[in-house]
Amino acid sequence: MNRRIFLKSGACSLVALAGPPRFLVRTAAADARGKVLVAVFQRGAVDGLSMIVPYGDPAYATARPTIALKPPKRGEGDRALDLDGFFAMHPALAPLVPLWENRSLAVVHACGSPDTTRSHFDAQDYMESGTPGVKATPDGWLARAVKTLPAKPAPFRAVALGRALPRALQGDAGAIAMQSIDRFDMRAADTTARGGFEALYARSVSDVLSGTGYQTFEAMKMLQSANASRIPPANGAEYPRGQFGEAMRQVAQLIKANVGLEVAFADTQGWDTHVGQGAEQGQLAARLREFAGALAAFAQDLGDRMADVVVLTMSEFGRTVGENGNRGTDHGHATAMLALGGAVRGGRVYGRWPGLVREQRFEDRDLAVTTDFRTLFSEVAARHLGIPSAPLFPGWKASQPPLGLFA
Amino acid sequence: MTWLALVLLTLGALTGCGAPAFGAGAAPPTGAAPADALRVAPPLAEARRILHVLNRVGFGPRPGDVERVRAVGLEAWIDRQLHPETIDDRATERALAELASIRLSIPEALREYPRPDPGLREKVQNGEMTRAEMMETYPPEKRPFRIAAELQAAKTLRAVESERQLQEVMVDFWFNHFNVFAEKGDVRWYVAAYERDVIRPNALGRFPDLVRASARHPAMLFYLDNWLSARPGFTVPVGPNKGRKAGLNENYARELMELHTLGVDGGYTQTDVTEVARAFTGWSIDRPQVEGRFVFRPRMHDTGEKVVLGHRIPAGGGQDDGERVLEILTHHPATARFIATKLVRRFVADTPPPALVARVAATYLKTEGDIRAMLRAIFSSPEFYGEDAYRAKVKKPFEFVASAVRALGATVDAQAAFGLARASAEIGEPLYQAQPPTGYPDRAEAWVTSGALLARMNFALALASGRYPRVTVDPGALVAGADPRSPDAVLDRLLAVLVAGQTSAETRAVLAAQLTNPEITRLSPDDRGPANTDVAKLAALVLGSPEFQRR
């Protein structure tokens, strides 16, 4: 629906194709300080028990003879970093400590899906469609979120940094997927090809290809006139090298360029640590270091603007409480998710702790889910973006009170 | 009436309509064709029909293909495509020779491409060894990723070069239907054998054979976890996992019904999923990292009675339980309908015409899933040749890349194919890397995104201007015969070669307008007239145009 409105208003400006899309820039600028939700997906199922360590649970260390993190101890490095006397952060998350201390970072633990699948693709699909157990849902929950927001003629309302449009943004929301801002450009030495292609795609906005083509050229022009790719990181922020740091750097660029961004999506890969996941150091620590470094740089880069931005991290499920025979962990159930920025009441771990003793576990092996991911997602959507939960999660009725994540 | 006669009748009716412009939306022909509709078709309409068939039955025309098909006759050409074994394709086989891994058995692949030593990786993680040092001890050409990379190149090379176009289209179609993800664990070593031994030999055969072959192949057993599925309370008796507990895994059972046979609305319940999973317990992989072949493990098998979709499978059936389930599923009317729907979606339109789906489903049931017979039903249907179907499908990125290379008449070798496979990935379809069991989608909305569309235009520019390594494009040859001093003649010749002259008036006008651009048409030194036309740039515009994104 929104896409159609955008396309219709786009058709009016076809006569002035050569000029920059000024009306778009103006509309977007009027909403420049709108709220932004940045969804981060840790694909492969992050081990929530290593990310946010329940060192106070007596069953934690014994379940993981070689991969448990050493409990925090004042004045000693290379150990978990205490949060509240029961939970601690993985030491590789050290860049996030200041955000925890200034109460902009909150943790929701034992969070996950009511569906019991331990299949990556099913669980990702369910989390992104927002309908656990139902594969036929045609669109994603973030696409529905964008469609619920007031219509706005901007090509950059919803953007995924990546190759394809993630399931969460699929649907009729006009979301854009791009691998990088820099490469979102016509790579031609002269302007002939660009003008030719634009003219070829300008003739009919009713067709899906021409419509997207038109949107593409509008987006390209807007990016150029906003000079988004040239906006440097501010406040001394330094993004870690790698795909995820790059994605977050570019999300920040889009926010600072005031192009009307409302929902952004970024992936981070490599969390499926079946073998040799490590403890304070090692494979998982390296992944967490990049993850935390990118989030911390993003918050630093945006500075005061973080008041309008919430970053929500998610993963399809967690991992087994016990370590397996290969010093790794297998597919589990609940995990930990983070909410950062906006009016989030940080410095707290939310959710009921189910415990790690065998009989407290889900199917005797996994961290049980005590917070349905939809409870968290709908609270963020409602309190940060002002979206009611009903259209976001069809068929779901909250069975627990809100977490109270927002002030 | 034979199906060929029906095609002729239908085609005759179509040509009677004249040649409406692209997107004009003329109604498909209905009812009986008038007798005079059998007169010789006007060339343009015939070219349009041939283009349609080349775009659907294959990966699009190469220069001269329209004329070649006209010479042998459209029906004869389709019939030969339905019998790929009658088509000489030795040139393609020769070109594939250097991609050695696609011919290895699974044990050979496991030996030739050893898995990384976990010790080495740990050393790099801990900083005891640099990445470069690791590379030296473990060279890229011996790494397992090479198997999928060569398979990607082979697939691309075949789509571009093979004379057996329909065979390649169907291999792509069935691979997506029975998808496995090349990067999931041991599938890396199994994926080439899976396509070669399961998909390819049955691509135009019988559907039940495809289901049976995929069900027992290690690639599918690993991908959907069935190899680990066991009766409740099973404890691994021997081997490295001795003492480990295992239990039922429903992954394969669910996808078998949801995605391979009945379809999500095929009328099965959660109980059916559990029962099917019980039937398949014990279907496993023998020494996955050494042998990698199917084995039935009686000790993992749940010996009790099962009831699947109302059919009773008595206790004690052993391995036959799974075979029995496949029989039930492949004979089910829901399977016929689901497979017919997917085939019609591939060849006719994103929203399949229900009447044609019903006819193809009936063919499935009558022929026990004969794929060739179902394709015949589609290729002889008025729906297939209807105006509604013409350019109704948006090409997948892989289809787009292959069709663009073919349209330019570019010559490629195995090395070039690696780069072209990467192009498909950049546009959104990294080959053999669809993670979900649904495979890559076959609907426009999945592929039409801003980033992907820009990537298509950029690919068209790079390809036509010869910037793809080892892909040789000769723009001059494309327009040979056209007067180089007449830009209009050059454009018309180009459109004739690339899209059989089938463009809308609007596209033709936009392209013609480019001819006045000095970047496209360079003036002669005395400025008195056009001397040369930048054919490569014009060709790029055609390949990047909305029409060329469709088939």
Side-chain angles (χ1 to χ4, degrees):
Chain A
M1 191 61 205
N2 289 327
R3 176 195 184 90
R4 206 157 292 142
I5 289 169
F6 161 66
L7 292 176
K8 252 187 216 154
S9 55
C12 310
S13 72
L14 277 180
V15 282
L17 261 181
R22 281 184 207 289
F23 80 103
L24 289 180
V25 177
R26 207 168 44 238
T27 317
D31 275 328
R33 304 278 309 196
K35 303 289 185 191
V36 183
L37 171 61
V38 183
V40 171
F41 209 113
Q42 293 174 286
R43 300 218 185 257
V46 67
D47 180 25
L49 297 176
S50 286
M51 188 163 78
I52 304 296
V53 184
Y55 72 89
D57 192 304
Y60 168 71
T62 48
R64 300 182 158 205
T66 71
I67 60 165
L69 282 101
K70 291 195 277 292
K73 198 183 256 179
R74 206 172 275 280
E76 273 188 44
D78 210 25
R79 287 171 161 270
L81 308 162
D82 190 36
L83 294 178
D84 60 4
F86 184 87
F87 291 107
M89 272 185 193
H90 192 289
L93 298 183
L96 297 178
V97 168
L99 297 166
W100 173 267
E101 286 173 347
N102 74 16
R103 300 188 176 279
S104 53
L105 172 69
V107 174
V108 182
H109 219 318
C111 187
S113 172
D115 192 273
T116 58
T117 182
R118 291 187 181 92
S119 143
H120 291 300
F121 30 75
D122 282 1
Q124 290 180 19
D125 194 68
Y126 294 153
M127 193 163 278
E128 293 188 75
S129 70
T131 54
V134 181
K135 287 186 187 175
T137 311
D139 50 6
W141 76 278
L142 286 171
R144 294 194 292 275
V146 174
K147 285 198 282 187
T148 312
L149 291 166
K152 220 169 63 166
F156 279 107
R157 298 183 68 194
V159 175
L161 270 300
R163 195 163 57 201
L165 204 55
R167 178 76 159 96
L169 275 171
Q170 280 175 21
D172 195 20
I176 281 182
M178 53 169 81
Q179 307 221 39
S180 87
I181 298 183
D182 300 337
R183 282 163 64 190
F184 195 77
D185 197 2
M186 187 69 73
R187 278 172 281 166
D190 58 72
T191 53
T192 319
R194 182 184 304 224
F197 280 129
E198 184 166 2
L200 281 169
Y201 279 88
R203 50 181 191 162
S204 152
V205 289
S206 61
D207 172 67
V208 57
L209 273 166
S210 297
T212 306
Y214 178 76
Q215 185 186 23
T216 304
F217 285 100
E218 290 304 289
M220 211 164 82
K221 281 185 242 175
M222 190 181 224
L223 268 190
Q224 278 160 1
S225 72
N227 227 339
S229 67
R230 300 242 172 84
I231 299 174
N235 311 317
E238 279 185 47
Y239 288 89
R241 278 170 44 178
Q243 219 172 12
F244 182 56
E246 266 307 293
M248 292 306 286
R249 185 181 66 81
Q250 296 183 61
V251 171
Q253 285 179 321
L254 288 174
I255 292 171
K256 291 189 288 183
N258 295 326
V259 291
L261 187 68
E262 293 173 323
V263 172
F265 190 100
D267 274 330
T268 142
Q269 317 272 350
W271 303 98
D272 199 14
T273 47
H274 285 282
V275 181
Q277 79 173 39
E280 288 81 12
Q281 300 296 328
Q283 191 192 153
L284 181 60
R287 301 302 301 122
L288 287 171
R289 200 166 292 122
E290 183 195 4
F291 176 71
L295 293 182
F298 179 80
Q300 189 171 357
D301 187 0
L302 287 182
D304 294 345
R305 193 71 179 268
M306 275 305 285
D308 299 318
V309 179
V310 166
V311 180
L312 174 65
T313 76
M314 62 202 71
S315 193
E316 65 265 37
F317 43 70
R319 310 193 70 82
T320 45
V321 172
E323 74 177 72
N324 66 16
N326 309 107
R327 302 185 174 206
T329 44
D330 291 323
H331 299 181
H333 201 40
T335 188
M337 303 188 183
L338 310 180
L340 165 68
V344 167
R345 292 198 298 166
R348 281 176 58 182
V349 178
Y350 291 81
R352 186 177 68 77
W353 184 247
L356 296 180
V357 179
R358 186 167 295 275
E359 41 286 7
Q360 296 170 321
R361 298 180 194 169
F362 173 70
E363 294 180 352
D364 290 344
R365 54 176 254 163
D366 303 332
L367 179 62
V369 170
T370 58
T371 298
D372 188 315
F373 74 88
R374 291 168 297 186
T375 302
L376 169 63
F377 291 9
S378 65
E379 198 165 325
V380 170
R383 299 298 305 276
H384 183 61
L385 296 175
I387 298 172
S389 69
L392 290 191
F393 302 106
W396 176 62
K397 270 188 78 173
S399 58
Q400 66 189 111
L403 297 162
L405 197 60
F406 286 83
Chain B
M1 185 183 294
T2 69
W3 71 278
L4 288 179
L6 190 62
V7 173
L8 288 172
L9 261 178
T10 313
L11 298 184
L14 235 189
T15 57
C17 304
F22 167 68
T30 49
D36 66 347
L38 284 172
R39 63 200 148 82
V40 180
L44 198 67
E46 190 196 24
R48 185 180 165 90
R49 237 169 38 227
I50 294 174
L51 177 67
H52 177 69
V53 168
L54 284 165
N55 270 329
R56 295 288 170 101
V57 176
F59 289 96
R62 287 194 280 199
D65 274 1
V66 171
E67 292 74 15
R68 277 188 283 275
V69 172
R70 185 182 287 134
V72 296
L74 193 55
E75 313 79 55
W77 187 82
I78 292 176
D79 207 42
R80 283 193 69 198
Q81 288 296 321
L82 284 164
H83 292 94
E85 69 284 358
T86 64
I87 304 172
D88 180 1
D89 209 24
R90 279 172 296 184
T92 310
E93 289 307 315
R94 276 195 298 277
L96 289 167
E98 64 182 278
L99 303 172
S101 70
I102 64 171
R103 287 177 293 276
L104 297 180
S105 70
I106 288 176
E108 283 168 343
L110 286 161
R111 259 198 320 274
E112 299 272 317
Y113 298 90
R115 62 195 66 227
D117 174 359
L120 284 183
R121 271 179 68 179
E122 220 160 277
K123 276 183 184 162
V124 173
Q125 299 273 10
N126 298 336
E128 289 171 40
M129 191 186 224
T130 67
R131 189 157 280 280
E133 282 166 347
M134 182 181 74
M135 288 283 205
E136 257 172 59
T137 47
Y138 189 50
E141 63 273 15
K142 296 304 287 178
R143 293 183 181 203
F145 83 85
R146 187 75 196 167
I147 300 171
E150 291 198 356
L151 189 59
Q152 291 174 347
K155 182 184 174 83
T156 310
L157 192 65
R158 284 175 157 137
V160 171
E161 294 287 328
S162 176
E163 299 297 330
R164 301 170 178 175
Q165 285 278 290
L166 177 59
Q167 160 110 333
E168 296 311 314
V169 164
M170 293 312 292
V171 168
D172 181 57
F173 176 85
W174 291 124
F175 194 99
N176 277 310
H177 184 83
F178 295 99
N179 185 54
V180 300
F181 173 44
E183 288 180 23
K184 176 168 176 172
D186 295 348
V187 178
R188 274 180 195 85
W189 290 270
Y190 304 160
V191 63
Y194 176 70
E195 181 176 282
R196 183 190 62 218
D197 302 337
V198 172
I199 305 293
R200 188 166 285 279
N202 296 303
L204 288 163
R206 290 180 67 253
F207 179 75
D209 292 341
L210 262 175
V211 181
R212 270 195 294 272
S214 64
R216 48 189 300 143
H217 197 276
M220 186 60 78
L221 290 164
F222 192 97
Y223 175 59
L224 292 178
D225 305 326
N226 198 77
W227 73 293
L228 296 169
S229 186
R231 64 179 161 82
F234 173 74
T235 306
V236 180
V238 289
N241 293 320
K242 185 177 174 182
R244 263 233 218 158
K245 282 206 162 90
L248 202 63
N249 189 312
E250 296 174 352
N251 205 1
Y252 176 67
R254 185 183 303 278
E255 308 305 1
L256 172 66
M257 288 194 279
E258 177 183 328
L259 299 171
H260 297 174
T261 57
L262 303 173
V264 71
D265 303 318
Y268 58 91
T269 64
Q270 175 57 43
T271 310
D272 289 319
V273 173
T274 311
E275 294 291 284
V276 168
R278 290 178 59 224
F280 279 103
T281 47
W283 285 46
S284 191
I285 307 173
D286 180 26
R287 287 166 293 164
Q289 303 189 358
V290 183
E291 273 305 316
R293 70 169 167 228
F294 174 79
V295 64
F296 177 72
R297 299 188 191 282
R299 277 192 284 190
M300 286 172 85
H301 183 67
D302 181 332
T303 54
E305 178 188 275
K306 292 104 189 168
V307 179
V308 174
L309 298 162
H311 299 263
R312 194 176 145 267
I313 301 174
Q319 184 182 339
D320 281 350
D321 286 0
E323 307 281 1
R324 183 80 190 94
V325 167
L326 297 180
E327 214 167 287
I328 294 165
L329 295 178
T330 54
H331 281 89
H332 201 283
T335 299
R337 204 160 48 238
F338 182 57
I339 298 309
T341 304
K342 285 195 76 173
L343 283 170
V344 174
R345 180 176 295 126
R346 168 61 182 76
F347 287 101
V348 181
D350 283 7
T351 309
L356 179 56
V357 171
R359 296 203 302 280
V360 175
T363 305
Y364 178 107
L365 292 172
K366 204 167 59 203
T367 63
E368 301 212 332
D370 185 330
I371 296 164
R372 201 176 274 130
M374 289 189 278
L375 291 178
R376 278 216 173 98
I378 294 171
F379 298 154
S380 63
S381 72
E383 287 91 343
F384 179 67
Y385 292 98
E387 270 304 317
D388 285 0
Y390 184 66
R391 279 184 179 154
K393 294 284 296 182
V394 169
K395 294 170 183 169
K396 290 191 303 158
F398 178 65
E399 291 168 344
F400 166 68
V401 167
S403 68
V405 177
R406 286 175 63 82
L408 289 176
T411 53
V412 301
D413 59 14
Q415 291 309 311
F418 285 96
L420 294 171
R422 273 194 298 278
S424 177
E426 277 165 24
I427 303 171
E429 191 182 358
L431 305 173
Y432 306 102
Q433 286 172 42
Q435 196 171 344
T438 44
Y440 285 120
D442 189 18
R443 292 175 207 257
E445 63 263 23
W447 303 114
V448 183
T449 75
S450 286
L453 213 46
L454 258 183
R456 287 181 189 227
M457 295 180 221
N458 282 323
F459 171 73
L461 280 167
L463 181 72
S465 47
R467 290 205 298 271
Y468 261 86
R470 301 179 75 99
V471 182
T472 315
V473 180
D474 183 354
L478 280 178
V479 295
D483 179 356
R485 289 162 306 175
S486 164
D488 260 314
V490 170
L491 175 60
D492 281 331
R493 176 83 192 119
L494 190 64
L495 289 174
V497 172
L498 295 182
V499 290
Q502 302 299 307
T503 43
S504 67
E506 293 97 322
T507 291
R508 173 76 177 70
V510 168
L511 293 170
Q514 303 301 312
L515 294 174
T516 59
N517 189 318
E519 294 276 358
I520 296 275
T521 303
R522 294 184 205 99
L523 297 181
S524 59
D526 59 1
D527 277 0
R528 287 176 59 183
N532 213 339
T533 304
D534 188 339
V535 178
K537 205 163 284 168
L538 267 185
L541 287 175
V542 175
L543 298 181
S545 72
E547 273 115 319
F548 197 82
Q549 308 317 306
R550 296 179 173 277
R551 58 171 170 86

